[in-house]
Amino acid sequence: MDSSVGGFYEVEKDGNLVLVYHHPKYCPIPQTQTVTSSSDLQPLFLCPRSRRRKIKSYSDTYPLNSSPEYVLSTTTTSHDHHVLPLFWCNNKEFDADGGCYICEGSNSGTDYYFCNYCSIKLHKECIQSPLIIKHPYHPEHYLQLFFHDDNFRKIECLCCGRKAHWLIYHCTTCQAFMHPICAMKPIPFLIDPPKKHIHPLTFFPRQTSLTCNVCGLLRKIYPTYVCFRCNFVTHNDCMNSPHIIKISRHRHRISFTFSLTSREWFCGVCRLSINVDYGAYTCDTCSDYVVHSICALGKDVWDGKELEGIPEIIDITENDGPFEVISEGVILYFHHNHHLRLEVSNVYDENMLCQACAIPIYEGNLYVCMECDFILHETCAKAPRRIQHALHPHPLVLEVINSFTYNTFRCNACDRGSIGFAYHCRMEVCNFFKLDVRCALISEPFDYKGHEDPLFLALNPEIKPICHICKTECLKQLNCIKCNFIVCFKCVTLPYKIKYKHDTHFLTISFGEEVREQEWCEICERSLKDTCTKVFYWCNECCTTFHIECLIGGDPYIKPGQYFNKWVCRVQVLPKCNISRPLCGSCKNRCIGKIYDVGYRVECSYECI
């Protein structure tokens, strides 16, 4: 065999036949009659960072062409440093201290290396990874070693399902990916007993035309095990899927079943039809709730925990209300020291802003502080302090971002900047996931006044769809399952009805029709067509139109009077529509909406928000 290619060989281990990875040079096939000399030393290996530097490429993903061996020569540079084996390390200590630098964890390894130059620990398999490998899980093509550092393209390991990053094995034809540590794991021919079947399961490398009985899908590149006695097929990852889980899209726990009663079922996540002959997750409490296995186990839906044998908590918001009732119509809100009184809004004042969502009070009930200017919409005041939102698998906690840090946050659903109230995931692995109050209060089915049918939250597609309202790419979106209507969170959270101080009527959102030449904004007096406006506010009584940015600003959730950091300056948000209408320092137009007061040294400038 070519010395640059690693492969798998049959080995009997503890009475069972397994496929074990061997490299002709680094890991030769063990021979029972061969006595290895103590003088046979392993070669030195390069640090993966050194292998990366040998490729001069501006791309985020490219194949490696350097051997893992460290060779001392006259051309060796200071960047060509080697790693040393660790003899004291074990799995527990290894993973507790951050795991392998290359594959970011995984307790699958048994031998480790340490780079003294970079101060990183690595699996032996990740260090010795050859440029090409032939793997039984993907027998059609060779897998080539790539460097992958594209954070926008999320790829998963074929074996473990975790994020694949940095050094990865990649089949460019089938788009299959593997961690080096996973690619070199021993593969059992026979699994007995399996988790999801009563008979032993046999590894079947040719999975081209086999549909999995667990997930109901034909996934060509996924490793498959079969039971020849009862014609049962399961993917390697489906075989170990959990029995009882909790997903973000449903109130109760759901449990796995291999078949459903013969009737028409629709998935509670993707809303598509479910084949009753294959596995699915069902709710024991709600008899009509069913979810595809593949939908239920998605990373944006499930938190990764098996709950079999763990007591169920029905309501995570129980005994955690946002306010205390003092008397009829009077409450004490959890984030305010004074009492709030329930009132009805009769007169529109553009400077009366809800402290939670930062949207002006147009009509309806509101809570007003009896001692200061703190105001809340009634719906915002009743928003629970702890929720389970369909967009995130972990509970979210209502917090007020500390105004003393002068930092804004961006909502993970609509991507708007905000200072103030946010629902926050406290788990660091979620990269500090946050939702503003308006996005957090959206649940499914959602009744959007701009569409006749209810909307449902969509799974995260690899190709982001275009919003039918603003005609831009969606970050998160809601779909209509009847007519494929798509709307992004940025549009769906805009107030459908709004007021302007110089108009006695309500304005409503308008979209979907071609903007005419004669339509111009009442505030900035610019043509809607010239400004490429797709969505605007419209008064049906007066036939007047308004830019959204002119009415509520580009970042409507940043309130006037607040300070925050912008680049190297600390800026203050001034009330919109100043009489003087200062000239914006960036776009050179007159500031119409909210503006920044940018103080720098002794000068002062303004910018549109």
Side-chain angles (χ1 to χ4, degrees):
M1 177 182 281
D2 186 350
S3 62
S4 65
V5 179
F8 282 76
Y9 301 88
E10 294 181 8
V11 174
E12 187 174 326
K13 189 176 182 180
D14 299 328
N16 298 316
L17 196 63
V18 295
L19 290 170
V20 178
Y21 170 81
H22 292 289
H23 190 278
K25 188 173 183 181
Y26 313 136
C27 308
I29 305 173
Q31 302 293 331
T32 55
Q33 302 299 323
T34 302
V35 179
T36 304
S37 171
S38 59
S39 62
D40 293 340
L41 299 177
Q42 284 283 332
L44 289 174
F45 292 98
L46 273 171
C47 174
R49 286 182 169 178
S50 295
R51 297 182 74 181
R52 172 188 174 185
R53 292 190 185 101
K54 288 179 180 293
I55 299 291
K56 295 181 179 179
S57 173
Y58 296 101
S59 172
D60 291 324
T61 302
Y62 50 86
L64 269 69
N65 60 9
S66 62
S67 166
E69 287 187 58
Y70 173 81
V71 180
L72 187 62
S73 67
T74 56
T75 59
T76 301
T77 67
S78 60
H79 296 305
D80 292 336
H81 44 275
H82 61 81
V83 293
L84 299 172
L86 289 175
F87 299 104
W88 52 268
C89 193
N90 60 46
N91 283 340
K92 185 176 180 181
E93 293 172 344
F94 186 78
D95 291 326
D97 197 27
C100 176
Y101 180 81
I102 292 180
C103 61
E104 299 177 348
S106 174
N107 59 357
S108 305
T110 54
D111 298 307
Y112 308 97
Y113 282 85
F114 179 76
C115 178
N116 193 46
Y117 185 90
C118 300
S119 297
I120 56 175
K121 298 189 296 294
L122 310 111
H123 290 125
K124 171 187 174 183
E125 292 84 352
C126 295
I127 285 291
Q128 298 182 2
S129 48
L131 298 178
I132 300 174
I133 188 173
K134 185 73 170 176
H135 201 280
Y137 280 176
H138 196 69
E140 294 89 351
H141 309 110
Y142 283 97
L143 299 174
Q144 187 172 2
L145 191 64
F146 270 71
F147 174 81
H148 174 81
D149 196 24
D150 186 355
N151 290 324
F152 295 99
R153 184 188 177 196
K154 295 182 180 179
I155 58 178
E156 293 181 353
C157 173
L158 181 66
C159 302
C160 69
R162 294 184 301 115
K163 177 183 176 182
H165 183 65
W166 229 53
L167 285 186
I168 56 172
Y169 281 107
H170 179 202
C171 172
T172 55
T173 304
C174 303
Q175 296 302 308
F177 302 90
M178 291 186 194
H179 293 121
I181 181 69
C182 295
M184 300 178 195
K185 273 186 181 179
I187 301 172
F189 269 109
L190 196 69
I191 296 180
D192 186 19
K195 184 176 181 179
K196 283 279 187 294
H197 197 61
I198 57 174
H199 304 136
L201 298 177
T202 305
F203 176 59
F204 192 75
R206 295 188 63 182
Q207 60 268 43
T208 306
S209 58
L210 299 179
T211 301
C212 176
N213 287 84
V214 178
C215 69
L217 296 177
L218 176 64
R219 297 189 288 166
K220 288 179 61 177
I221 65 172
Y222 280 79
T224 303
Y225 281 80
V226 298
C227 174
F228 295 108
R229 294 173 61 182
C230 51
N231 197 26
F232 178 82
V233 178
T234 176
H235 294 125
N236 190 44
D237 57 338
C238 295
M239 177 170 46
N240 298 312
S241 57
H243 180 61
I244 298 176
I245 62 173
K246 176 70 172 68
I247 63 173
S248 62
R249 301 295 183 92
H250 192 61
R251 176 182 174 83
H252 308 117
R253 294 181 179 184
I254 54 177
S255 57
F256 180 81
T257 181
F258 274 107
S259 61
L260 301 168
T261 56
S262 183
R263 52 161 281 196
E264 191 174 31
W265 298 93
F266 292 95
C267 176
V269 174
C270 71
R271 309 294 165 180
L272 298 178
S273 177
I274 293 180
N275 191 325
V276 297
D277 296 328
Y278 297 102
Y281 281 87
T282 62
C283 177
D284 294 334
T285 305
C286 308
S287 58
D288 59 344
Y289 190 83
V290 183
V291 182
H292 286 121
S293 298
I294 204 75
C295 294
L297 301 178
K299 288 182 172 57
D300 58 335
V301 174
W302 176 48
D303 61 3
K305 296 179 180 178
E306 163 72 79
L307 300 177
E308 189 170 13
I310 301 175
E312 182 172 8
I313 301 174
I314 301 297
D315 189 358
I316 65 169
T317 66
E318 215 171 30
N319 302 321
D320 198 20
F323 56 79
E324 177 187 351
V325 177
I326 304 302
S327 61
E328 185 176 356
V330 178
I331 63 170
L332 180 63
Y333 191 65
F334 84 100
H335 186 66
H336 195 64
N337 296 327
H338 308 142
H339 292 168
L340 307 181
R341 182 178 59 245
L342 182 64
E343 295 183 359
V344 178
S345 176
N346 296 317
V347 180
Y348 168 62
D349 183 352
E350 66 175 354
N351 294 316
M352 285 182 59
L353 304 178
C354 174
Q355 294 294 321
C357 69
I359 295 296
I361 310 291
Y362 299 115
E363 64 176 355
N365 296 340
L366 65 150
Y367 280 99
V368 179
C369 179
M370 300 168 68
E371 299 184 37
C372 65
D373 58 358
F374 187 89
I375 304 172
L376 291 174
H377 287 112
E378 183 182 25
T379 53
C380 293
K382 291 181 177 180
R385 295 177 63 177
R386 196 163 179 258
I387 64 170
Q388 178 69 71
H389 197 273
L391 286 178
H392 195 69
H394 306 127
L396 304 178
V397 180
L398 182 61
E399 296 178 350
V400 178
I401 306 302
N402 190 350
S403 59
F404 296 106
T405 62
Y406 303 106
N407 291 324
T408 59
F409 73 89
R410 302 207 76 83
C411 174
N412 284 76
C414 68
D415 198 39
R416 285 196 180 99
S418 181
I419 302 176
F421 288 31
Y423 281 95
H424 179 208
C425 178
R426 292 180 173 177
M427 299 187 68
E428 190 173 345
V429 293
C430 296
N431 198 23
F432 308 108
F433 181 92
K434 293 184 179 70
L435 293 178
D436 61 50
V437 173
R438 288 187 67 84
C439 290
L441 293 180
I442 287 182
S443 59
E444 54 181 358
F446 181 71
D447 183 19
Y448 180 53
K449 294 180 180 179
H451 192 69
E452 58 183 359
D453 297 316
L455 304 179
F456 296 89
L457 291 165
L459 294 172
N460 289 335
E462 290 186 5
I463 299 176
K464 297 297 183 182
I466 300 300
C467 174
H468 289 181
I469 295 180
C470 64
K471 310 301 180 184
T472 59
E473 192 176 84
C474 298
L475 177 64
K476 304 285 185 183
Q477 78 274 6
L478 294 112
N479 292 358
C480 174
I481 60 177
K482 292 184 178 181
C483 65
N484 200 31
F485 175 78
I486 299 172
V487 57
C488 65
F489 264 72
K490 192 169 185 175
C491 289
V492 83
T493 52
L494 287 171
Y496 188 74
K497 293 171 61 179
I498 200 171
K499 277 236 176 182
Y500 178 50
K501 61 182 178 180
H502 296 310
D503 195 331
T504 57
H505 312 115
F506 270 101
L507 314 176
T508 56
I509 278 186
S510 181
F511 63 91
E513 298 181 2
E514 195 69 28
V515 176
R516 297 188 296 269
E517 291 283 355
Q518 65 270 26
E519 290 178 331
W520 47 280
C521 177
E522 287 290 319
I523 298 177
C524 70
E525 301 180 354
R526 289 184 293 167
S527 167
L528 267 61
K529 192 175 185 67
D530 291 344
T531 53
C532 301
T533 301
K534 306 294 183 185
V535 193
F536 54 93
Y537 280 105
W538 158 268
C539 178
N540 191 44
E541 300 291 334
C542 306
C543 296
T544 52
T545 55
F546 302 81
H547 287 117
I548 292 174
E549 292 77 9
C550 292
L551 274 175
I552 61 176
D555 282 322
Y557 303 155
I558 297 179
K559 297 184 283 292
Q562 291 182 314
Y563 289 86
F564 65 94
N565 294 325
K566 182 177 175 64
W567 300 305
V568 296
C569 303
R570 181 163 298 163
V571 300
Q572 183 184 19
V573 182
L574 301 181
K576 66 176 182 175
C577 299
N578 281 18
I579 297 176
S580 60
R581 299 210 297 184
L583 193 68
C584 176
S586 294
C587 68
K588 308 306 178 184
N589 294 318
R590 292 292 175 183
C591 297
I592 301 299
K594 301 172 191 173
I595 54 178
Y596 300 132
D597 178 6
V598 186
Y600 183 69
R601 296 183 181 176
V602 296
E603 299 180 357
C604 188
S605 63
Y606 300 93
E607 291 186 15
C608 300
I609 196 165

